[in-house]
Amino acid sequence: MEKLAAGIDMSYLETGPRDGTPVILIHGLTDNVRSWWPAMASLHKRNPKLHIMAVDLRGHGRSTMPDEVTCAPAPEACFRPADFAADIVAFMQSKGVEKAALVGHSLGSFIVQEVALTHPERVSHAILDATAASSVGNVALRDYVLKEPIEGAWKTALQAAGKAFPTDVYTLAPTDADPKVDAWLAANWVVDPTADPDFLAPYVPETASVKLGTWIGATKALLAQDNSKRLEDLAVPTLVMWGTQDSIFLAADQDAIKKALGVAAKKHGQPVFWKQYGVIPLPASGFQESDIGHNVQWAAFDTVAADIDAFIATGAPTRDLVHSAPVPDIRDLVIEPGKAVVVQLGK
């Protein structure tokens, strides 16, 4: 546990030599270090010389919440990517890490963007897993997280119990709003048909314990984040990894981030790559069904680890294509060397 200047106690895991090349793994919304466990183990096995750290963000996992008195009336003011980014920089300072490769998934990718934009001297490589240039108006976050259940069923239940929303619910958990919330989480949130069910199972109770201040604050803050123009000034080597059945950051989002990062690559002369995981597009249902989706690092952790290692070492990801086997089990992955869709932006 590291005590940060902002008052956050940050929980983390680390492996590899302290004098090795630093890599910091940053999870997504309501996740924790578990999100990176398989990829972290694979990366360490692949390159034992790396000093790999996976952190629990503020209000997530075993890390503490920001001050209730300050944050409870408007949690989104305390869970902005800028707030998370300041924690990452403070963590690096506390650990004596001058510069690191930052790897972020989903919300974590926006945090990596923020650190790289505001403290480029701290970032050797920015690796963005399941990302976008903007999450303003994102349908999944807006309609299927914030509108319902946060400001729908959960808010209604808590107000019926006499709680002022959000002030009185900041340190409560989803279980306080819905005792059966595990069923909703298992069906709608902790879901990936290509991931190991044994890996996902503990996630449900862990996610159910994430405080509502975090759910409200981080979701609202993400819905206000637009880096479309700012990313044109990103001046560090960058890799984007995207799954074809990502139901949160869609193909159109990838067009936007490729455009912005292409401008940055031309402006600053840094290597910038975009790599596709999976081959089957998102089906009409709008849900991941048959190939790699939003949680790229859950199913394809070995290839993700290989790409992180390759990008740090050579400035480019591997060219290995990884996708689900059509039969008999989509959790069986197929790796086809040299066949991945990899685009060097700005060229």
Side-chain angles (χ1 to χ4, degrees):
M1 191 79 74
E2 289 291 315
K3 291 187 177 295
L4 307 183
I8 301 298
D9 292 340
M10 178 169 275
S11 177
Y12 66 98
L13 297 176
E14 65 182 326
T15 188
R18 298 263 176 115
D19 62 350
T21 300
V23 181
I24 300 177
L25 307 174
I26 306 171
H27 62 75
L29 178 62
T30 75
D31 282 0
N32 56 59
V33 292
R34 176 185 298 279
S35 186
W36 283 106
W37 280 0
M40 185 177 186
S42 180
L43 182 59
H44 175 63
K45 183 177 180 180
R46 182 175 296 275
N47 188 347
K49 294 181 180 180
L50 296 175
H51 179 201
I52 310 168
M53 294 155 278
V55 300
D56 280 338
L57 295 168
R58 57 169 56 197
H60 294 77
R62 296 176 60 220
S63 292
T64 58
M65 296 281 284
D67 179 63
E68 181 179 0
V69 173
T70 302
C71 301
E76 62 272 21
C78 297
F79 288 90
R80 301 167 300 172
D83 300 308
F84 290 116
D87 290 343
I88 296 300
V89 173
F91 174 78
M92 293 174 68
Q93 291 171 334
S94 181
K95 294 289 290 180
V97 174
E98 292 296 322
K99 197 169 192 175
L102 300 186
V103 187
H105 171 249
S106 197
L107 166 62
S109 75
F110 281 88
I111 298 166
V112 173
Q113 291 178 30
E114 191 68 26
V115 179
L117 287 166
T118 56
H119 294 279
E121 75 284 356
R122 289 279 188 183
V123 183
S124 64
H125 302 79
I127 301 174
L128 311 175
D129 171 16
T131 194
S134 172
S135 47
V136 173
N138 181 276
V139 173
L141 292 172
R142 184 191 66 205
D143 294 348
Y144 300 104
V145 183
L146 184 61
K147 184 178 179 181
E148 187 61 55
I150 293 175
E151 292 187 337
W154 294 355
K155 180 179 180 179
T156 299
L158 291 165
Q159 286 181 327
K163 303 293 184 182
F165 192 94
T167 308
D168 291 346
V169 307
Y170 185 73
T171 59
L172 300 183
T175 47
D176 294 304
D178 178 7
K180 298 180 179 179
V181 74
D182 282 12
W184 180 85
L185 291 169
N188 299 282
W189 193 241
V190 185
V191 178
D192 191 321
T194 62
D196 182 350
D198 291 337
F199 166 74
L200 295 180
Y203 244 132
V204 173
E206 290 171 358
T207 307
S209 69
V210 174
K211 305 305 183 188
L212 288 171
T214 301
W215 279 89
I216 298 164
T219 303
K220 282 191 170 183
L222 260 182
L223 282 166
Q225 192 71 20
D226 187 350
N227 290 344
S228 301
K229 292 301 294 182
R230 297 176 72 209
L231 284 175
E232 294 181 0
D233 290 317
L234 193 68
V236 302
T238 303
L239 169 63
V240 174
M241 301 184 290
W242 178 74
T244 53
Q245 292 196 6
D246 190 330
S247 59
I248 296 179
F249 296 129
L250 309 177
D253 295 309
Q254 302 314 297
D255 292 338
I257 198 166
K258 283 190 281 188
K259 180 180 178 181
L261 291 178
V263 172
K266 287 182 179 180
K267 184 182 294 186
H268 297 289
Q270 297 283 3
V272 180
F273 286 87
W274 181 94
K275 179 174 179 178
Q276 176 179 302
Y277 282 63
V279 293
I280 303 173
L282 190 69
S285 68
F287 295 100
Q288 178 190 9
E289 295 179 1
S290 55
D291 213 334
I292 296 168
H294 185 67
N295 299 291
V296 180
Q297 78 286 2
W298 287 1
F301 53 86
D302 277 331
T303 305
V304 166
D307 284 335
I308 293 171
D309 187 40
F311 191 61
I312 292 171
T314 71
T318 74
R319 299 278 169 166
D320 293 347
L321 168 63
V322 58
H323 61 89
S324 291
V327 289
D329 189 343
I330 63 171
R331 287 176 291 171
D332 293 332
L333 298 184
V334 176
I335 297 177
E336 299 184 54
K339 293 189 177 181
V341 176
V342 178
V343 181
Q344 184 169 7
L345 304 176
K347 293 295 185 180

